[in-house]
Amino acid sequence: MSGKSGFCYDFDIFAGAQSNVVPESCPNLSASSNVVIRMSYFILRHCNYKFFFDNWFTSIPLLVYLHKRVFYL
């Protein structure tokens, strides 16, 4: 995850099934969608942040979840 300056703020190293975890209050969607959920978990809501990710991470349930958390996609 990086800001508009390109500076990296967070990253996630894939380590197989052991890295497919989500916070307790979040849904378990899929391995790729869970990466987006983990990265977005600590971002403040209602602050006009825009969240971009490529099509490998995208799913309809993920987009619905992020929309409910008030992220602009």
Side-chain angles (χ1 to χ4, degrees):
M1 181 169 54
S2 62
K4 66 180 181 179
S5 66
F7 185 76
C8 180
Y9 296 112
D10 196 5
F11 60 93
D12 189 32
I13 298 174
F14 180 72
Q18 67 190 18
S19 64
N20 187 21
V21 295
V22 291
E24 291 180 15
S25 62
C26 297
N28 186 0
L29 300 178
S30 67
S32 59
S33 294
N34 289 346
V35 172
V36 176
I37 290 172
R38 280 194 307 272
M39 292 289 183
S40 69
Y41 188 70
F42 295 105
I43 296 174
L44 298 175
R45 292 185 281 176
H46 307 288
C47 292
N48 290 332
Y49 289 114
K50 292 183 181 177
F51 208 58
F52 297 93
F53 43 90
D54 71 13
N55 62 346
W56 190 80
F57 298 96
T58 305
S59 68
I60 298 298
L62 174 65
L63 297 176
V64 169
Y65 170 76
L66 292 175
H67 178 71
K68 287 180 182 176
R69 289 201 64 208
V70 189
F71 280 109
Y72 300 104
L73 306 171

